[in-house]
Amino acid sequence: MMQRNPDDTNYPPFETEDLRSNLAAFLATPFDDPVLGRPRAVGSFTWGVYAFFDYDGEPIYVGQTKEKISTRIRRHLTNQRTDAVAMSVLDPFEVFEVEVWPLPQFERTAKKDAGAKAHLDALEHLVYQQAVAGSVFKAILNEKNPPAPVMAVEAPPSLRFRLVSDGVHRIRSHPDFRIARRALILSRLAQVISERKVQGGLRRVLLTQAKRLQWLADRRYTALGGEASVEREESEEE
């Protein structure tokens, strides 16, 4: 039986296809629209705020959109057309879950509407502050702080969704894989910084990523016995 030449494969790798499939399922998930009086696909909402979480449930990035939730999140996770991904601020491989807060009341509102924009900025600021407060590091990977709010808002209903299948989870959740991947992204970010004049926000991201890498490495080292394991190995070699 003739084996197929893998060079002519015309479909994405397993992990890429898995993400695209799960992302499509998330964006098609029904979400209540009180304006229309019925559910609609969560990805079809135009205005909203979103947050990404890693394999430890750590918040890692918060953003806003008024172009469409599906468009914005796909840019982050599938085609690297955002500065956050292109500059190695956000690593799509680290995204385990996504949460979105749609704003259906502004669905027919012009993008330049000052009141709607103020509400969106205030919601992003609220979600950002909650993410930072809930983080082990009291920091996330946003290069810039969200706009200062000029009004007070409460968080509307949200939808949180796991974007990683069990198969991909078995690969990426291994601590050594996560350490290696995080070190790679940290190195890429450091290279970006070394090649251009950057603002302090990007250096803050570098510092936060370094802390996150150390945290993972320390957890792994401690879980495997820490200094006691080193001493034991040295005694066995004598």
Side-chain angles (χ1 to χ4, degrees):
M1 186 178 194
M2 182 178 295
Q3 292 184 339
R4 183 180 178 186
N5 182 357
D7 292 343
D8 64 1
T9 297
N10 194 27
Y11 53 86
F14 163 66
E15 292 181 73
T16 301
E17 186 61 30
D18 182 84
L19 173 60
R20 291 178 181 274
S21 176
N22 292 329
L23 183 55
F26 162 64
L27 296 173
T29 302
F31 190 86
D32 185 51
D33 184 341
V35 177
L36 290 180
R38 58 177 173 79
R40 50 188 285 217
V42 72
S44 68
F45 288 89
T46 302
W47 296 71
V49 171
Y50 55 91
F52 297 130
F53 301 83
D54 71 9
Y55 283 70
D56 291 305
E58 269 285 309
I60 53 178
Y61 193 86
V62 171
Q64 63 162 261
T65 182
K66 53 182 185 291
E67 58 179 341
K68 188 174 278 191
I69 287 175
S70 60
T71 301
R72 187 63 177 168
I73 291 180
R74 278 198 173 105
R75 282 182 180 172
H76 277 309
L77 299 182
T78 63
N79 63 15
Q80 298 193 0
R81 286 181 56 198
T82 64
D83 289 343
V85 176
M87 298 181 71
S88 296
V89 169
L90 174 68
D91 177 17
F93 269 45
E94 279 210 290
V95 177
F96 181 69
E97 292 179 313
V98 59
E99 186 169 4
V100 294
W101 292 260
L103 293 171
Q105 66 268 39
F106 300 125
E107 198 61 26
R108 299 182 182 277
T109 306
K111 293 181 180 180
K112 294 183 179 181
D113 184 273
K117 185 64 169 63
H119 191 113
L120 182 65
D121 288 345
L123 177 58
E124 181 188 18
H125 186 272
L126 175 64
V127 172
Y128 178 89
Q129 293 298 325
Q130 291 176 342
V132 169
S135 167
V136 170
F137 315 99
K138 303 306 176 190
I140 59 176
L141 300 178
N142 287 61
E143 180 185 353
K144 299 178 180 178
N145 295 330
V150 296
M151 61 187 299
V153 299
E154 293 184 359
S158 67
L159 176 66
R160 186 157 171 167
F161 194 91
R162 173 177 167 174
L163 294 174
V164 177
S165 70
D166 289 341
V168 170
H169 183 268
R170 283 192 293 271
I171 298 171
R172 293 186 185 168
S173 62
H174 190 287
D176 290 337
F177 177 94
R178 294 187 64 204
I179 290 169
R181 180 71 188 188
R182 193 164 294 178
L184 173 64
I185 296 302
L186 181 63
S187 175
R188 288 177 178 173
L189 178 57
Q191 186 68 32
V192 167
I193 291 174
S194 74
E195 292 174 348
R196 64 193 73 185
K197 183 178 180 180
V198 300
Q199 302 297 319
L202 205 57
R203 295 189 183 278
R204 181 179 66 182
V205 173
L206 181 70
L207 177 60
T208 302
Q209 277 288 38
K211 291 178 180 179
R212 297 176 77 241
L213 174 59
Q214 182 182 21
W215 183 63
L216 276 184
D218 182 69
R219 283 171 51 191
R220 181 64 165 157
Y221 176 61
T222 301
L224 293 177
E227 189 62 27
S229 68
V230 177
E231 295 174 354
R232 183 174 61 252
E233 292 166 358
E234 290 176 347
S235 64
E236 292 174 351
E237 292 176 356
E238 294 178 353

